[in-house]
Amino acid sequence: MTPAGDEPDGAPRLVLLDILRGVAILAILLMNVSEMGASMTANWSDIRHIGWSGADRVAWWLDTLLVEGTARALLEMLFGAGMLILTERIAAASDNPLAVALRYGWRNAVLWALGIAHMFLLLWPGDILHTYAVAALVACGFRMLSTRALFVLGLSYAAFTLASGLTTEMPAAARVQMARENAAAVAREDRFGHGSPADWTAGQRRVGLERLGGEEIVYVWEAAATMLIGAGLFRLGALQGGWSRRRYWRMLAWGYGIGLPLRVYGAWEATRFDGRIGVAWMWDDIARLATTLGHVAAVALLVGSVRGGRWLAPFAAAGRTALTLYVAQTLIVSWLIFSPYGLGLYGRMGWAAMMALALAVDALLLWAAVLWVRRFRIAPVEWAWRSVIEGRWLPLR
């Protein structure tokens, strides 16, 4: 795949990586919009609380099968590819054996600080930047392993969840208690979502602090493992368009062939509403990874065709401005549309309306990204982040 211009620091870009990143960052809003516009807890514990009309059901099923978890997984895989690119570049530019640790460590320390600011200043508890910064450092420690070892470690989280499901069972009393706690959390989140600006601010910060609790270790593990899979795929040439179309078709068939049936069962299980114990969570990460591989193959195949490449070309601009678009999603959707500081529409949209909103905002952001990269070499948030890393003001043009 041919380069897509250069980074501000002179490093080459790759078309498919940028397009995949653009697709992933815009798809992230389809995951996040329902957590911005309704109770975060209800998103997985009481989906009917958000809306369950015929249109809502269609929107929820499509989002659950195709987007939920996969946009995040794709970003994590791309982080893994970026880790290899950056660390190899750092190592090649310095004889200092500590150069990679210091340089890559500083880069992710700044990203972590940006993520924390996103959580507690811009008040988005669902931030992924701080998690990815830590996960990238964990994954970096394994970058010198063989490709096979990267894949084995990359499947560690999926293996853990599957083994946990096969060997443990939650007692009935614990399930009842969890249901009560979830209902209380939904009620609490609805109160501050419909409350005053001060209520919303305090509530969002509380959820953010809860997010940084013990479960953060699990989030880091999942992200680091998926980054290692991405690193392995990059070494094999899959993420930069180095495979034949026949090989991508096989990847698509295996990815969707495994992932989608598992996801269909999981979605069916989630919509039974009969109180029975679910089992689909055991293989959820397997389904997530497999479906994401199908998405990678589908995008690669489209990019490799004349018409598909033309359709997807604008997403390269989104990929080059991904960090800025991610923050813009929070400002537009969470603040302007749903928060009491803006239109105050929290809890007033169902699944279908929120998915339509996300698609409209994504279209706006994609258009803005295309205009921006025609005039500038780097997006605003990327410029600030990388300027801090470099210790100098990078040129915008």
Side-chain angles (χ1 to χ4, degrees):
M1 191 63 65
T2 57
D6 290 340
E7 291 270 25
D9 59 2
R13 304 192 69 102
L14 297 171
V15 173
L16 184 55
L17 285 181
D18 279 339
I19 290 176
L20 286 170
R21 189 180 301 108
V23 169
I25 204 65
L26 294 175
I28 278 287
L29 184 57
L30 293 169
M31 290 176 52
N32 289 345
V33 65
S34 57
E35 296 187 347
M36 292 176 172
S39 161
M40 294 184 76
T41 304
N43 269 259
W44 55 270
S45 69
D46 187 6
I47 56 178
R48 290 179 295 182
H49 178 80
I50 296 173
W52 209 237
S53 67
D56 288 332
R57 297 179 194 189
V58 171
W60 181 88
W61 270 85
L62 288 174
D63 185 60
T64 299
L65 294 183
L66 299 176
V67 181
E68 182 63 35
T70 62
R72 188 177 70 249
L74 182 52
L75 282 178
E76 290 161 358
M77 290 179 183
L78 295 170
F79 255 79
M83 174 192 68
L84 291 186
I85 295 170
L86 290 166
T87 55
E88 289 175 6
R89 189 192 311 165
I90 294 169
S94 175
D95 294 329
N96 185 349
L98 296 178
V100 170
L102 294 174
R103 183 74 174 167
Y104 193 65
W106 171 239
R107 179 187 181 91
N108 283 286
V110 177
L111 183 63
W112 180 87
L114 180 61
I116 293 299
H118 193 208
M119 289 185 78
F120 296 107
L121 295 181
L122 295 186
L123 303 176
W124 173 227
D127 171 77
I128 57 175
L129 300 178
H130 72 287
T131 301
Y132 287 5
V134 177
L137 293 178
V138 174
C140 185
F142 301 99
R143 73 186 187 282
M144 302 303 291
L145 296 179
S146 68
T147 302
R148 177 176 294 181
L150 291 178
F151 285 124
V152 170
L153 288 176
L155 291 171
S156 62
Y157 180 75
F160 168 75
T161 56
L162 183 60
S164 297
L166 293 173
T167 58
T168 61
E169 181 177 348
M170 181 179 291
R175 294 199 303 272
V176 171
Q177 180 62 26
M178 178 179 288
R180 290 174 179 169
E181 292 174 356
N182 290 339
V186 170
R188 182 173 63 249
E189 290 162 8
D190 280 348
R191 280 196 300 272
F192 70 70
H194 290 294
S196 67
D199 293 333
W200 184 77
T201 298
Q204 292 289 87
R205 285 179 175 161
R206 175 178 174 175
V207 175
L209 287 172
E210 291 172 351
R211 165 80 187 276
L212 293 177
E215 290 187 357
E216 181 69 7
I217 296 174
V218 176
Y219 301 143
V220 169
W221 183 5
E222 179 208 74
T226 310
M227 289 177 189
L228 292 177
I229 291 176
L233 290 170
F234 184 79
R235 277 193 189 165
L236 295 177
L239 296 181
Q240 56 269 52
W243 286 7
S244 66
R245 292 185 65 81
R246 180 178 180 181
R247 197 172 183 186
Y248 279 120
W249 274 114
R250 290 173 60 187
M251 182 179 178
L252 182 145
W254 279 105
Y256 286 158
I258 294 172
L260 290 180
L262 293 177
R263 298 203 119 195
V264 167
Y265 180 85
W268 170 79
E269 191 177 77
T271 54
R272 289 183 316 198
F273 308 123
D274 58 6
R276 286 187 287 166
I277 300 174
V279 296
W281 66 271
M282 292 190 297
W283 57 70
D284 182 67
D285 202 57
I286 296 173
R288 180 182 77 105
L289 294 173
T291 305
T292 303
L293 293 179
H295 291 346
V296 170
V299 171
L301 287 166
L302 284 171
V303 171
S305 67
V306 175
R307 183 175 296 179
R310 188 163 54 245
W311 288 343
L312 291 177
F315 287 90
R320 293 176 61 182
T321 58
L323 194 55
T324 296
L325 297 189
Y326 182 57
V327 174
Q329 290 170 359
T330 298
L331 294 175
I332 296 172
V333 179
S334 183
W335 279 79
L336 179 60
I337 296 176
F338 290 125
S339 86
Y341 289 102
L343 297 177
L345 296 182
Y346 174 94
R348 298 186 182 181
M349 294 185 185
W351 292 101
M354 285 192 283
M355 294 304 142
L357 171 65
L359 290 173
V361 172
D362 276 346
L364 173 65
L365 292 176
L366 183 60
W367 171 76
V370 170
L371 291 182
W372 183 272
V373 299
R374 287 176 182 171
R375 294 165 175 80
F376 302 95
R377 299 182 67 190
I378 188 170
V381 180
E382 283 84 351
W383 172 82
W385 174 43
R386 296 182 190 179
S387 293
V388 172
I389 294 169
E390 296 293 332
R392 62 185 176 90
W393 300 120
L394 294 177
L396 274 170
R397 295 184 182 272

